[in-house]
Amino acid sequence: MDEESTFEEICLHWGEEPERFLGAIVPPLFQNSLFAVPSVEARSSSRYIYTREANPTTDLLNAKMAALEGTEEARCFASGMAAISAALLSQLRGGDHVVCVKHVYYPTRLLLQEHLSRFGVEVTFVQGTHVEDFEQALRPHTRVFYLESPTSINFWLQPLEEVCALARAHGVTTIIDNTWATPLFQSPSQLGVDIVVHSASKYLGGHSDVIAGVVCTSRERIEAIHREMTLLGGILDPFAAWLILRGLRTLPTRLQQHQHNALQVAQRLSTHPAVHNVLYPGLPSHPQHELARRQMRGFSGLLSFTLKRNSREAAVAVVNALRLFRIGPSWGGYESLALPMRIEDYDGETRWGLRIHVGLEPAERLIADLEQALRVAEG
Ligand SMILES: *Cc1c(COP(=O)(O)O)cnc(C)c1O
């Protein structure tokens, strides 16, 4: 990537060549499965033959994602889970051992624990807040440390530089799910992580209208990723890639607003009488706030809080009483969302609470909505 390009420039214009396409300010969508060539001989020199292998629209997204993550290469997939499974499968064979953070995205946990175990892959889950957690779990055949920092229900971080140094010393590959922070708020490759994965269904798309995933890594490692993509076939459809490119244009602006709103909401919740604890790395009260400030540049819009009235009924009643926040899974779109959840709090106790996605509505309106809903859990 051009050293001078800012995140904003990459998201807006970088890598686009309007002069090649009649001046079209938005790069055209190549929604085609195959590419014809002028002669049989030309086939071998043409980059584009069949869209499962390569497509110009998807290539533009690959290039922008690599530039944003500061890696040499990237490949897009049909979902975050397709990206995660490609990243893992590219590194693992039967008999290998994975050390994974225990609060990892749940389908990733299932993939390791119940699916890859069928092929002889072993996994150890660790808290992951200290490098010693990984050190103690190391075995002679450990091949991968699978990281997610912060995790997306209780927002524990891993000390990435230390964990990557340990991994490198033992020939272990590090993979991180960077969905929560996005490339704008955290650059794992600069901290030593080998492979960065994203669910682009969240902030990168940003409009809750597309499912997609991305793997970003070095030129050396991309071949294995590319092979997973073309042989397992979980490619991103060009139209979905085009939608993610559109979403990226406003990513920096959206994230600033998510961050601003989430911080206001988190601060208000942390002084609310019905709230036991707020789990958000952007708050100074977060046990790893200092680490968060060191390895991240900002904080996005997903957070959790636990309730003093520690019961499922109370959490459900609060969620049902919300008006602006819709009830639903996922996050990273423009809209505010809430779900009742059992959350392992920072003292190790599991309590009932809510996971909320703070959307782009005005912060005061969101706070007012939470305050009126929390009345059902007061006293
Ligand atoms: C949603 C999510 C995924 C999976 O992404 P899909 O696009 O739904 O397959 C992976 N990791 C995290 C942290 C997520 O939130």
Side-chain angles (χ1 to χ4, degrees), residues 78-84 104-108 146 148 150-152 177-180 197-202 210-213 302 330-331 355:
S79 68
M81 282 314 297
I84 289 165
V104 69
Y105 182 66
Y106 191 64
T108 306
Y146 189 93
E148 189 177 311
T151 56
S152 66
D177 184 329
N178 199 28
T179 303
W180 190 86
V197 296
H198 282 281
S199 168
S201 323
K202 312 293 161 56
V210 58
I211 299 276
L302 188 73
S330 194
W331 46 279
R355 188 185 74 170

Tab-separated table of all heavy atoms in Angstrom, residues 78-84 104-108 146 148 150-152 177-180 197-202 210-213 302 330-331 355, ligand 1:
chain	number	residue	atom	x	y	z
A	78	ALA	N	-17.529	-16.145	1.513
A	78	ALA	CA	-18.989	-16.016	1.529
A	78	ALA	C	-19.536	-15.655	2.903
A	78	ALA	O	-20.690	-15.246	3.022
A	78	ALA	CB	-19.623	-17.323	1.048
A	79	SER	N	-18.746	-15.803	3.957
A	79	SER	CA	-19.177	-15.423	5.304
A	79	SER	C	-17.941	-15.337	6.182
A	79	SER	O	-16.858	-15.814	5.802
A	79	SER	CB	-20.148	-16.469	5.880
A	79	SER	OG	-19.470	-17.689	6.113
A	80	GLY	N	-18.132	-14.769	7.359
A	80	GLY	CA	-17.039	-14.763	8.335
A	80	GLY	C	-16.630	-16.185	8.674
A	80	GLY	O	-15.432	-16.488	8.781
A	81	MET	N	-17.594	-17.088	8.834
A	81	MET	CA	-17.266	-18.472	9.178
A	81	MET	C	-16.496	-19.169	8.052
A	81	MET	O	-15.631	-19.998	8.317
A	81	MET	CB	-18.535	-19.269	9.539
A	81	MET	CG	-19.064	-19.009	10.943
A	81	MET	SD	-17.812	-19.033	12.267
A	81	MET	CE	-17.228	-20.727	12.200
A	82	ALA	N	-16.800	-18.833	6.789
A	82	ALA	CA	-16.032	-19.416	5.677
A	82	ALA	C	-14.586	-18.930	5.743
A	82	ALA	O	-13.650	-19.694	5.486
A	82	ALA	CB	-16.662	-19.044	4.334
A	83	ALA	N	-14.400	-17.660	6.101
A	83	ALA	CA	-13.049	-17.113	6.230
A	83	ALA	C	-12.309	-17.784	7.389
A	83	ALA	O	-11.137	-18.165	7.264
A	83	ALA	CB	-13.117	-15.594	6.447
A	84	ILE	N	-12.998	-17.943	8.514
A	84	ILE	CA	-12.385	-18.549	9.699
A	84	ILE	C	-12.028	-20.005	9.423
A	84	ILE	O	-10.924	-20.467	9.747
A	84	ILE	CB	-13.337	-18.410	10.911
A	84	ILE	CG1	-13.399	-16.949	11.355
A	84	ILE	CG2	-12.920	-19.331	12.058
A	84	ILE	CD1	-14.544	-16.610	12.289
A	104	VAL	N	-14.230	-17.234	22.673
A	104	VAL	CA	-14.261	-17.052	21.215
A	104	VAL	C	-15.714	-17.109	20.697
A	104	VAL	O	-16.585	-17.715	21.337
A	104	VAL	CB	-13.390	-18.162	20.576
A	104	VAL	CG1	-14.045	-19.531	20.727
A	104	VAL	CG2	-13.074	-17.892	19.120
A	105	TYR	N	-15.937	-16.466	19.560
A	105	TYR	CA	-17.241	-16.527	18.871
A	105	TYR	C	-17.732	-17.982	18.853
A	105	TYR	O	-16.991	-18.891	18.448
A	105	TYR	CB	-17.045	-16.001	17.450
A	105	TYR	CG	-18.292	-15.954	16.602
A	105	TYR	CD1	-19.352	-15.107	16.906
A	105	TYR	CD2	-18.402	-16.745	15.460
A	105	TYR	CE1	-20.480	-15.065	16.117
A	105	TYR	CE2	-19.529	-16.701	14.659
A	105	TYR	CZ	-20.560	-15.859	14.998
A	105	TYR	OH	-21.679	-15.816	14.200
A	106	TYR	N	-18.950	-18.206	19.296
A	106	TYR	CA	-19.376	-19.579	19.588
A	106	TYR	C	-19.284	-20.551	18.398
A	106	TYR	O	-18.795	-21.671	18.556
A	106	TYR	CB	-20.780	-19.572	20.208
A	106	TYR	CG	-21.164	-20.920	20.761
A	106	TYR	CD1	-20.450	-21.480	21.828
A	106	TYR	CD2	-22.212	-21.645	20.202
A	106	TYR	CE1	-20.774	-22.725	22.329
A	106	TYR	CE2	-22.543	-22.896	20.697
A	106	TYR	CZ	-21.829	-23.433	21.760
A	106	TYR	OH	-22.143	-24.666	22.243
A	107	PRO	N	-19.722	-20.172	17.183
A	107	PRO	CA	-19.549	-21.111	16.061
A	107	PRO	C	-18.081	-21.474	15.797
A	107	PRO	O	-17.797	-22.592	15.354
A	107	PRO	CB	-20.170	-20.355	14.880
A	107	PRO	CG	-21.199	-19.473	15.514
A	107	PRO	CD	-20.556	-19.014	16.804
A	108	THR	N	-17.147	-20.574	16.071
A	108	THR	CA	-15.728	-20.907	15.934
A	108	THR	C	-15.359	-21.982	16.949
A	108	THR	O	-14.620	-22.919	16.650
A	108	THR	CB	-14.849	-19.651	16.143
A	108	THR	OG1	-15.281	-18.632	15.255
A	108	THR	CG2	-13.383	-19.963	15.897
A	146	TYR	N	-5.397	-19.466	18.307
A	146	TYR	CA	-6.532	-18.760	17.722
A	146	TYR	C	-7.006	-17.686	18.696
A	146	TYR	O	-7.420	-17.982	19.811
A	146	TYR	CB	-7.676	-19.729	17.366
A	146	TYR	CG	-8.739	-19.020	16.561
A	146	TYR	CD1	-8.707	-19.031	15.173
A	146	TYR	CD2	-9.738	-18.285	17.199
A	146	TYR	CE1	-9.639	-18.333	14.422
A	146	TYR	CE2	-10.670	-17.578	16.459
A	146	TYR	CZ	-10.624	-17.607	15.069
A	146	TYR	OH	-11.543	-16.908	14.343
A	148	GLU	N	-9.038	-13.826	19.625
A	148	GLU	CA	-10.128	-12.895	19.302
A	148	GLU	C	-10.019	-11.816	20.360
A	148	GLU	O	-10.244	-12.075	21.542
A	148	GLU	CB	-11.477	-13.628	19.373
A	148	GLU	CG	-12.641	-12.813	18.852
A	148	GLU	CD	-13.946	-13.611	18.872
A	148	GLU	OE1	-13.972	-14.760	18.388
A	148	GLU	OE2	-14.930	-13.078	19.409
A	150	PRO	N	-10.870	-7.702	21.154
A	150	PRO	CA	-11.530	-8.318	22.301
A	150	PRO	C	-12.554	-9.362	21.863
A	150	PRO	O	-12.990	-9.358	20.723
A	150	PRO	CB	-12.230	-7.135	22.980
A	150	PRO	CG	-12.389	-6.097	21.925
A	150	PRO	CD	-11.347	-6.328	20.892
A	151	THR	N	-12.906	-10.240	22.818
A	151	THR	CA	-13.974	-11.205	22.564
A	151	THR	C	-15.308	-10.450	22.541
A	151	THR	O	-15.404	-9.337	23.066
A	151	THR	CB	-13.992	-12.278	23.656
A	151	THR	OG1	-14.121	-11.637	24.933
A	151	THR	CG2	-12.707	-13.098	23.630
A	152	SER	N	-16.337	-11.059	21.966
A	152	SER	CA	-17.513	-10.247	21.634
A	152	SER	C	-18.712	-10.422	22.563
A	152	SER	O	-19.807	-9.979	22.220
A	152	SER	CB	-17.917	-10.508	20.185
A	152	SER	OG	-18.367	-11.828	20.039
A	177	ASP	N	-9.335	-13.059	15.096
A	177	ASP	CA	-10.610	-12.518	14.632
A	177	ASP	C	-10.634	-11.050	15.055
A	177	ASP	O	-10.691	-10.734	16.239
A	177	ASP	CB	-11.753	-13.319	15.287
A	177	ASP	CG	-13.128	-12.896	14.784
A	177	ASP	OD1	-13.300	-11.717	14.436
A	177	ASP	OD2	-14.036	-13.754	14.771
A	178	ASN	N	-10.551	-10.154	14.062
A	178	ASN	CA	-10.436	-8.705	14.325
A	178	ASN	C	-11.753	-7.985	14.051
A	178	ASN	O	-11.772	-6.781	13.785
A	178	ASN	CB	-9.309	-8.125	13.441
A	178	ASN	CG	-8.775	-6.790	13.931
A	178	ASN	OD1	-8.817	-6.490	15.122
A	178	ASN	ND2	-8.270	-5.973	13.009
A	179	THR	N	-12.864	-8.732	14.090
A	179	THR	CA	-14.151	-8.168	13.691
A	179	THR	C	-14.560	-6.979	14.561
A	179	THR	O	-15.037	-5.964	14.057
A	179	THR	CB	-15.244	-9.254	13.739
A	179	THR	OG1	-14.854	-10.340	12.887
A	179	THR	CG2	-16.577	-8.725	13.264
A	180	TRP	N	-14.381	-7.100	15.875
A	180	TRP	CA	-14.883	-6.053	16.773
A	180	TRP	C	-14.168	-4.724	16.546
A	180	TRP	O	-14.780	-3.668	16.500
A	180	TRP	CB	-14.743	-6.477	18.239
A	180	TRP	CG	-15.445	-5.567	19.203
A	180	TRP	CD1	-16.760	-5.631	19.578
A	180	TRP	CD2	-14.889	-4.439	19.911
A	180	TRP	NE1	-17.054	-4.627	20.478
A	180	TRP	CE2	-15.922	-3.876	20.692
A	180	TRP	CE3	-13.623	-3.857	19.958
A	180	TRP	CZ2	-15.734	-2.775	21.521
A	180	TRP	CZ3	-13.432	-2.738	20.777
A	180	TRP	CH2	-14.479	-2.211	21.547
A	197	VAL	N	-8.599	-12.466	10.447
A	197	VAL	CA	-9.893	-12.789	9.829
A	197	VAL	C	-10.956	-11.792	10.291
A	197	VAL	O	-10.851	-11.214	11.368
A	197	VAL	CB	-10.350	-14.237	10.155
A	197	VAL	CG1	-9.399	-15.255	9.561
A	197	VAL	CG2	-10.517	-14.451	11.641
A	198	HIS	N	-11.949	-11.614	9.416
A	198	HIS	CA	-13.055	-10.700	9.714
A	198	HIS	C	-14.371	-11.317	9.306
A	198	HIS	O	-14.454	-11.974	8.263
A	198	HIS	CB	-12.939	-9.412	8.886
A	198	HIS	CG	-11.938	-8.449	9.402
A	198	HIS	ND1	-12.197	-7.625	10.463
A	198	HIS	CD2	-10.673	-8.188	9.013
A	198	HIS	CE1	-11.128	-6.891	10.703
A	198	HIS	NE2	-10.185	-7.219	9.839
A	199	SER	N	-15.401	-11.036	10.079
A	199	SER	CA	-16.745	-11.127	9.548
A	199	SER	C	-17.046	-9.756	8.973
A	199	SER	O	-17.209	-8.779	9.718
A	199	SER	CB	-17.760	-11.469	10.647
A	199	SER	OG	-19.062	-11.254	10.113
A	200	ALA	N	-17.112	-9.669	7.640
A	200	ALA	CA	-17.446	-8.394	6.995
A	200	ALA	C	-18.935	-8.110	7.068
A	200	ALA	O	-19.400	-7.052	6.655
A	200	ALA	CB	-16.971	-8.401	5.545
A	201	SER	N	-19.693	-9.078	7.606
A	201	SER	CA	-21.133	-8.882	7.819
A	201	SER	C	-21.394	-7.816	8.878
A	201	SER	O	-22.515	-7.331	8.997
A	201	SER	CB	-21.785	-10.185	8.287
A	201	SER	OG	-21.226	-11.305	7.657
A	202	LYS	N	-20.384	-7.469	9.666
A	202	LYS	CA	-20.557	-6.512	10.762
A	202	LYS	C	-20.217	-5.101	10.256
A	202	LYS	O	-20.852	-4.647	9.337
A	202	LYS	CB	-19.716	-6.963	11.955
A	202	LYS	CG	-19.886	-8.453	12.308
A	202	LYS	CD	-21.280	-8.786	12.816
A	202	LYS	CE	-21.626	-10.262	12.751
A	202	LYS	NZ	-20.744	-11.183	13.432
A	210	VAL	N	-25.676	-7.777	4.056
A	210	VAL	CA	-24.777	-8.700	3.356
A	210	VAL	C	-23.994	-9.536	4.365
A	210	VAL	O	-23.664	-9.071	5.452
A	210	VAL	CB	-23.836	-7.919	2.393
A	210	VAL	CG1	-23.015	-6.897	3.128
A	210	VAL	CG2	-22.928	-8.859	1.622
A	211	ILE	N	-23.757	-10.801	3.994
A	211	ILE	CA	-22.925	-11.717	4.792
A	211	ILE	C	-21.621	-11.912	4.022
A	211	ILE	O	-21.660	-12.237	2.826
A	211	ILE	CB	-23.628	-13.088	4.964
A	211	ILE	CG1	-24.965	-12.942	5.697
A	211	ILE	CG2	-22.716	-14.092	5.652
A	211	ILE	CD1	-24.890	-12.905	7.189
A	212	ALA	N	-20.496	-11.713	4.689
A	212	ALA	CA	-19.206	-11.858	4.015
A	212	ALA	C	-18.090	-12.023	5.035
A	212	ALA	O	-18.270	-11.701	6.213
A	212	ALA	CB	-18.912	-10.627	3.139
A	213	GLY	N	-16.949	-12.524	4.573
A	213	GLY	CA	-15.780	-12.676	5.443
A	213	GLY	C	-14.507	-12.375	4.681
A	213	GLY	O	-14.503	-12.347	3.442
A	302	LEU	N	-20.146	-2.361	20.267
A	302	LEU	CA	-20.769	-3.523	20.911
A	302	LEU	C	-20.266	-3.620	22.353
A	302	LEU	O	-19.064	-3.597	22.594
A	302	LEU	CB	-20.380	-4.790	20.148
A	302	LEU	CG	-21.100	-6.084	20.569
A	302	LEU	CD1	-22.538	-6.079	20.091
A	302	LEU	CD2	-20.370	-7.305	20.027
A	330	SER	N	-26.326	-10.612	15.911
A	330	SER	CA	-25.446	-9.872	15.020
A	330	SER	C	-25.277	-8.430	15.524
A	330	SER	O	-25.792	-8.060	16.585
A	330	SER	CB	-25.933	-9.899	13.580
A	330	SER	OG	-24.890	-9.456	12.732
A	331	TRP	N	-24.540	-7.641	14.779
A	331	TRP	CA	-24.194	-6.279	15.182
A	331	TRP	C	-23.341	-5.692	14.078
A	331	TRP	O	-23.052	-6.354	13.091
A	331	TRP	CB	-23.428	-6.283	16.523
A	331	TRP	CG	-22.323	-7.306	16.631
A	331	TRP	CD1	-22.479	-8.629	16.927
A	331	TRP	CD2	-20.920	-7.118	16.405
A	331	TRP	NE1	-21.254	-9.256	16.919
A	331	TRP	CE2	-20.276	-8.355	16.611
A	331	TRP	CE3	-20.137	-5.995	16.082
A	331	TRP	CZ2	-18.901	-8.518	16.466
A	331	TRP	CZ3	-18.764	-6.162	15.952
A	331	TRP	CH2	-18.159	-7.422	16.159
A	355	ARG	N	-26.399	-7.857	26.077
A	355	ARG	CA	-25.385	-7.404	25.140
A	355	ARG	C	-26.087	-6.454	24.195
A	355	ARG	O	-27.139	-6.793	23.644
A	355	ARG	CB	-24.760	-8.562	24.363
A	355	ARG	CG	-23.567	-8.055	23.535
A	355	ARG	CD	-22.980	-9.120	22.667
A	355	ARG	NE	-23.843	-9.397	21.539
A	355	ARG	CZ	-23.487	-10.155	20.506
A	355	ARG	NH1	-22.295	-10.715	20.481
A	355	ARG	NH2	-24.318	-10.366	19.504
B	1	LIG	C1	-20.536	-12.652	13.261
B	1	LIG	C2	-19.173	-13.062	13.700
B	1	LIG	C3	-18.474	-14.056	13.030
B	1	LIG	C4	-19.077	-14.877	11.905
B	1	LIG	O1	-19.328	-14.115	10.795
B	1	LIG	P1	-20.461	-14.511	9.713
B	1	LIG	O2	-20.256	-13.475	8.675
B	1	LIG	O3	-21.770	-14.440	10.415
B	1	LIG	O4	-20.159	-15.889	9.260
B	1	LIG	C5	-17.199	-14.346	13.441
B	1	LIG	N1	-16.631	-13.691	14.480
B	1	LIG	C6	-17.277	-12.739	15.154
B	1	LIG	C7	-16.597	-12.067	16.293
B	1	LIG	C8	-18.574	-12.388	14.796
B	1	LIG	O5	-19.227	-11.470	15.489
